[in-house]
Amino acid sequence: MKKTWISIIMMSIFIFIGIQILLESKEILNSVTFSFQVWKNNIFPSLFPFFVLSEILMNYGFIELCGELLKPLMIKFFKTSSPTAFILIMSIISGFPSNAKYTKELLDQGLINEQEGTKILMFTCFSNPLFILGTVSILFLNNKEVGLLILLCHYLSNFIIGFLFRNFHPTKEIIKPVSIKKAIEAMHQKRIQNPLNFGQILTKALQNSIQTLLLILGTVTTFLVITTIIDHHIQLNNYHQSILNGFVEMTQGLKYVSTLNIPLKLKSILSAMILSFGGLSVHMQVVSIISSTKIKYFPFLVARIIHALLASFLVFILFDWWILTL
């Protein structure tokens, strides 16, 4: 009986959304257009090159190279196996939801297990640095120095989460002395053992990257439509409306925060919080990517809540000193 009621509730929600799309066609069309603009101007340019490059690097032994060179950091500081260094580095460079994509790829290759995948997702959820320094700091907040502070706090809080949860599914890998020669040899062996030529690797990288980016576009559009419907039916003041929108769809929430008539410090704190939580849109992208695995989502959710609180707190305590210093 319980499952029947769940089905009825879900169907009622979907029918309601369908009716709202018909009744608010103009607003919905504007949301879809805005989502495509965000994807075209921000998401695609910032993620596509790194998605393609990362897959090429994986085929030519970059995972083995990073794993050997950074294994003391990963094993001692985060207590994860050496291959997870690749996920950390590429996630920092390219931003979410690439951490889920790289985690799934390493899991599929048998380089990590589901427990490590669950753990590494918790502290590798970084926003793209170009998005923070470009869109957030210059376009939204009109202050490059504040963008640097948000970037620092956003990244630092992720490292703190990784350290705090280092005993969650800790690796049993033993720390050995780093050997550059061994790292290069491992990279070389991976390259010569790969049966695919460069053309095949590039084609596969392009296909996988486009597929993932289209998934991201669809998810962003869906949640922007949901946000539009929520805004139409839930009447809050601009302050609370911006926060609600940010926790549903990150980019739209950040845009609304920038228009609020509040001090720059509070705008920065809210921006850091929304960026670090990621919005339900980003969460759904992660869930979609890992859905075919046994990687658990709940620890990722807990980490994002901690990330949002920690990053916003760091901005709060550092803001005045940062502005005076710069």
Side-chain angles (χ1 to χ4, degrees), residues 29-40:
L29 182 61
N30 290 335
S31 295
V32 173
T33 303
F34 176 70
S35 70
F36 183 77
Q37 292 296 325
V38 169
W39 183 82
K40 179 172 69 76

Side-chain angles (χ1 to χ4, degrees), residues 170-238:
T171 184
K172 297 179 181 179
E173 189 174 344
I174 300 173
I175 300 178
K176 297 178 182 179
V178 174
S179 171
I180 297 178
K181 180 180 178 181
K182 185 177 178 181
I184 294 174
E185 180 62 27
M187 177 189 66
H188 173 67
Q189 289 298 321
K190 174 67 175 180
R191 186 188 69 82
I192 63 176
Q193 291 173 6
N194 194 327
L196 302 178
N197 59 42
F198 179 75
Q200 292 171 317
I201 292 172
L202 179 60
T203 300
K204 182 181 176 183
L206 291 170
Q207 291 174 341
N208 291 342
S209 300
I210 293 295
Q211 184 179 6
T212 303
L213 285 164
L214 287 175
L215 171 65
I216 293 172
L217 171 61
T219 307
V220 170
T221 303
T222 300
F223 277 88
L224 275 172
V225 169
I226 292 173
T227 301
T228 301
I229 295 172
I230 291 174
D231 289 346
H232 184 76
H233 289 277
I234 301 178
Q235 300 299 321
L236 301 173
N237 59 49
N238 291 337

Side-chain angles (χ1 to χ4, degrees), residues 194-295:
N194 194 327
L196 302 178
N197 59 42
F198 179 75
Q200 292 171 317
I201 292 172
L202 179 60
T203 300
K204 182 181 176 183
L206 291 170
Q207 291 174 341
N208 291 342
S209 300
I210 293 295
Q211 184 179 6
T212 303
L213 285 164
L214 287 175
L215 171 65
I216 293 172
L217 171 61
T219 307
V220 170
T221 303
T222 300
F223 277 88
L224 275 172
V225 169
I226 292 173
T227 301
T228 301
I229 295 172
I230 291 174
D231 289 346
H232 184 76
H233 289 277
I234 301 178
Q235 300 299 321
L236 301 173
N237 59 49
N238 291 337
Y239 178 78
H240 293 102
Q241 198 79 42
S242 300
I243 296 175
L244 175 62
N245 288 341
F247 279 94
V248 176
E249 208 295 308
M250 181 187 71
T251 306
Q252 191 175 41
L254 291 169
K255 179 184 177 183
Y256 286 164
V257 165
S258 69
T259 63
L260 294 176
N261 186 24
I262 56 177
L264 180 60
K265 181 176 182 178
L266 185 53
K267 286 184 180 180
S268 304
I269 292 170
L270 291 175
S271 296
M273 180 181 293
I274 292 171
L275 268 169
S276 298
F277 181 74
L280 295 179
S281 173
V282 172
H283 287 235
M284 187 55 62
Q285 293 167 33
V286 171
V287 170
S288 299
I289 292 171
I290 65 173
S291 60
S292 60
T293 72
K294 294 183 180 179
I295 295 175

Side-chain angles (χ1 to χ4, degrees), residues 27 43 45 87 109 140 159 233 264 288 290 307 310 316 323:
E27 291 82 0
I43 297 175
I87 301 173
Q109 294 180 32
F140 289 164
F159 295 137
H233 289 277
L264 180 60
S288 299
I290 65 173
H307 194 187
L310 190 54
F316 171 74
I323 294 299

Side-chain angles (χ1 to χ4, degrees), residues 33-256:
T33 303
F34 176 70
S35 70
F36 183 77
Q37 292 296 325
V38 169
W39 183 82
K40 179 172 69 76
N41 297 328
N42 296 294
I43 297 175
F44 189 92
S46 61
L47 291 183
F48 178 71
F50 293 108
F51 279 1
V52 176
L53 178 63
S54 65
E55 188 142 349
I56 294 173
L57 290 173
M58 288 172 66
N59 280 275
Y60 282 95
F62 191 66
I63 296 174
E64 288 73 14
L65 182 67
C66 289
E68 180 62 30
L69 295 179
L70 297 178
K71 65 181 178 182
L73 170 68
M74 303 308 297
I75 297 173
K76 189 172 184 180
F77 194 82
F78 298 121
K79 293 188 178 180
T80 59
S81 62
S82 51
T84 57
F86 173 82
I87 301 173
L88 179 64
I89 292 173
M90 296 307 299
S91 298
I92 290 174
I93 296 173
S94 55
F96 44 59
S98 60
N99 62 325
K101 180 178 184 294
Y102 303 138
T103 299
K104 182 180 182 301
E105 288 172 352
L106 264 64
L107 179 64
D108 291 342
Q109 294 180 32
L111 297 175
I112 61 174
N113 56 37
E114 287 85 359
Q115 290 75 25
E116 280 187 307
T118 299
K119 181 177 179 179
I120 195 69
L121 275 184
M122 294 176 69
F123 64 93
T124 56
C125 190
F126 299 96
S127 178
N128 187 282
L130 296 178
F131 178 73
I132 297 177
L133 297 178
T135 304
V136 177
S137 64
I138 297 176
L139 186 60
F140 289 164
L141 300 178
N142 196 28
N143 192 304
K144 186 177 181 180
E145 289 73 22
V146 168
L148 288 170
L149 175 62
I150 293 174
L151 179 72
L152 174 67
C153 295
H154 176 72
Y155 279 45
L156 180 60
S157 53
N158 241 341
F159 295 137
I160 293 173
I161 290 172
F163 181 75
L164 291 176
F165 286 89
R166 65 191 184 280
N167 289 320
F168 178 68
H169 297 309
T171 184
K172 297 179 181 179
E173 189 174 344
I174 300 173
I175 300 178
K176 297 178 182 179
V178 174
S179 171
I180 297 178
K181 180 180 178 181
K182 185 177 178 181
I184 294 174
E185 180 62 27
M187 177 189 66
H188 173 67
Q189 289 298 321
K190 174 67 175 180
R191 186 188 69 82
I192 63 176
Q193 291 173 6
N194 194 327
L196 302 178
N197 59 42
F198 179 75
Q200 292 171 317
I201 292 172
L202 179 60
T203 300
K204 182 181 176 183
L206 291 170
Q207 291 174 341
N208 291 342
S209 300
I210 293 295
Q211 184 179 6
T212 303
L213 285 164
L214 287 175
L215 171 65
I216 293 172
L217 171 61
T219 307
V220 170
T221 303
T222 300
F223 277 88
L224 275 172
V225 169
I226 292 173
T227 301
T228 301
I229 295 172
I230 291 174
D231 289 346
H232 184 76
H233 289 277
I234 301 178
Q235 300 299 321
L236 301 173
N237 59 49
N238 291 337
Y239 178 78
H240 293 102
Q241 198 79 42
S242 300
I243 296 175
L244 175 62
N245 288 341
F247 279 94
V248 176
E249 208 295 308
M250 181 187 71
T251 306
Q252 191 175 41
L254 291 169
K255 179 184 177 183
Y256 286 164

